[in-house]
Amino acid sequence: MDDSKHFNDLYAFVQVAKLGSFTQAATVLNVQPSALSHRINSLEKRLKIKLLNRTTRSVSTTQAGQQLLERTAPMFTSIQQELSALADYTDRMSGRIRINCPERPAFELIYPKINGFLATNPDLKLEVFINNLYCDIVAERFDFGVRSGKDVAQDMIAVQISDENTMAVVAAPPYITEFGEPKNTKDLINHRCIVVSFNPEYRLSEWEFMEQKQLNKIRVPENLIFNSQALVKQSVIDGLGIAWLPRTTVQADIQAGRLVEMLKKSAITYPPMYLYYPTNKHKTPAMIAFIALLRWEQS
């Protein structure tokens, strides 16, 4: 048996199984979908076992295919990590850094800093995957994750990349002119509220405040829902309702008069954001430089 062909086809299978699509896997592998399908068929014939269930709409692994995926995918990941580690012996940083990050820190903490970083290191590739849900960065093969300090697992190394995060209740002047300001936090239930949804089952409609040193939670009406914080902010600017957003996200709009902050005395402050990674992960020079780039320094 031609071992090189066997391993190449096995890698192709891993890509198809992980992505659940011949078309997407073909793009990653830079081959035609028909050629990729032929390679998988050839692999199944040589192994004498069916690895994938195919329909016109989806691709899924058989029981044998799932077992093969779970046992071989980590091996290819290890090989890729070792190849990336060879960058330690070069003068120029190269390779790929993959970051799993919620929307706000991706826009506010990472994106503003990467222009100069990539200009200085043109051989480096960055992948920022925006994900507002919790993710197992080891299982999903990310180099870094970004979360609030209270949400980082204890077996991870965490590097602070922001100051504390204070929330703000905001509305546009036209909305306030028409509907008025909430008199207190309880009065929010009488207003049109815009909330962010992290997934179809969970919406951030329970807003938190600190009043008389006590945590106070107010469940607000879900008049408008987006799974994008950027759209929540834009809809507030457009006068569609009231929103509860990080102050850093809306500070420039408050200063410019596009938004007005309300109930400021009751604003709650959350812990800083952290960049985190496994304690046993080999850090390439590129990863070390990226950590230094994002590390928060108190001014």
Side-chain angles (χ1 to χ4, degrees):
M1 181 182 294
D2 185 345
D3 288 341
S4 63
K5 178 176 176 59
H6 192 74
F7 290 137
N8 288 339
D9 289 351
L10 183 57
Y11 181 70
F13 158 75
V14 169
Q15 297 305 312
V16 173
K18 285 167 53 179
L19 295 171
S21 166
F22 276 94
T23 301
Q24 293 183 37
T27 300
V28 171
L29 297 170
N30 195 27
V31 298
Q32 293 295 320
S34 57
L36 181 57
S37 178
H38 177 76
R39 288 173 62 178
I40 300 302
N41 287 334
S42 177
L43 177 64
E44 290 177 324
K45 288 180 181 179
R46 292 200 304 275
L47 296 177
K48 298 180 181 180
I49 193 166
K50 187 176 179 63
L51 300 174
L52 295 173
N53 294 313
R54 305 168 176 83
T55 70
T56 56
R57 294 185 176 181
S58 64
V59 177
S60 61
T61 54
T62 62
Q63 185 174 355
Q66 184 62 29
Q67 175 179 300
L68 184 63
L69 173 66
E70 292 175 355
R71 294 182 178 180
T72 58
M75 298 179 187
F76 283 112
T77 299
S78 296
I79 292 172
Q80 290 169 343
Q81 290 174 343
E82 292 304 319
L83 291 174
S84 296
L86 293 177
D88 294 0
Y89 300 96
T90 68
D91 294 330
R92 300 181 67 180
M93 286 190 289
S94 60
R96 182 186 302 273
I97 297 177
R98 303 185 71 232
I99 309 107
N100 186 286
C101 183
E103 183 181 17
R104 184 184 70 86
F107 275 94
E108 297 181 13
L109 303 177
I110 295 179
Y111 184 76
K113 294 185 176 182
I114 62 176
N115 187 24
F117 187 64
L118 292 177
T120 305
N121 306 288
D123 295 334
L124 189 64
K125 298 178 177 64
L126 287 181
E127 178 182 345
V128 180
F129 184 83
I130 293 179
N131 178 15
N132 290 319
L133 302 177
Y134 297 116
C135 166
D136 184 341
I137 63 170
V138 176
E140 298 295 330
R141 299 184 300 111
F142 287 99
D143 298 301
F144 296 110
V146 175
R147 285 294 181 269
S148 173
K150 63 182 179 64
D151 297 323
V152 177
Q154 293 184 352
D155 61 346
M156 295 285 175
I157 295 176
V159 178
Q160 185 175 342
I161 61 173
S162 79
D163 199 351
E164 292 180 323
N165 175 33
T166 300
M167 301 297 290
V169 175
V170 291
Y175 176 90
I176 294 174
T177 299
E178 183 173 357
F179 299 102
E181 294 189 27
K183 301 178 181 64
N184 49 54
T185 55
K186 292 181 180 179
D187 194 31
L188 286 168
I189 63 174
N190 299 315
H191 283 265
R192 297 184 57 82
C193 295
I194 306 170
V195 302
V196 65
S197 173
F198 293 133
N199 62 51
E201 288 75 38
Y202 177 64
R203 297 157 182 171
L204 193 57
S205 57
E206 192 171 67
W207 297 358
E208 296 184 338
F209 301 90
M210 289 299 297
E211 297 179 301
Q212 298 179 348
K213 298 182 179 181
Q214 296 291 323
L215 177 64
N216 183 25
K217 298 182 180 182
I218 302 295
R219 184 164 296 280
V220 301
E222 300 173 355
N223 297 102
L224 189 57
I225 302 166
F226 293 106
N227 69 338
S228 164
Q229 191 168 272
L231 282 175
V232 171
K233 173 183 169 180
Q234 186 58 54
S235 63
V236 178
I237 292 174
D238 291 339
L240 301 182
I242 293 177
W244 184 59
L245 293 167
R247 188 175 290 161
T248 55
T249 301
V250 295
Q251 189 64 49
D253 300 289
I254 293 171
Q255 293 174 347
R258 290 185 291 270
L259 293 175
V260 175
E261 182 175 3
M262 303 168 292
L263 306 175
K264 191 172 182 178
K265 292 182 178 180
S266 300
I268 191 170
T269 297
Y270 293 118
M273 301 299 293
Y274 285 81
L275 183 77
Y276 66 93
Y277 56 94
T279 55
N280 60 351
K281 186 173 184 61
H282 170 75
K283 297 192 296 298
T284 65
M287 291 176 62
I288 294 171
F290 188 73
I291 292 171
L293 176 75
L294 294 187
R295 187 186 298 273
W296 182 76
E297 300 292 344
Q298 187 172 8
S299 56

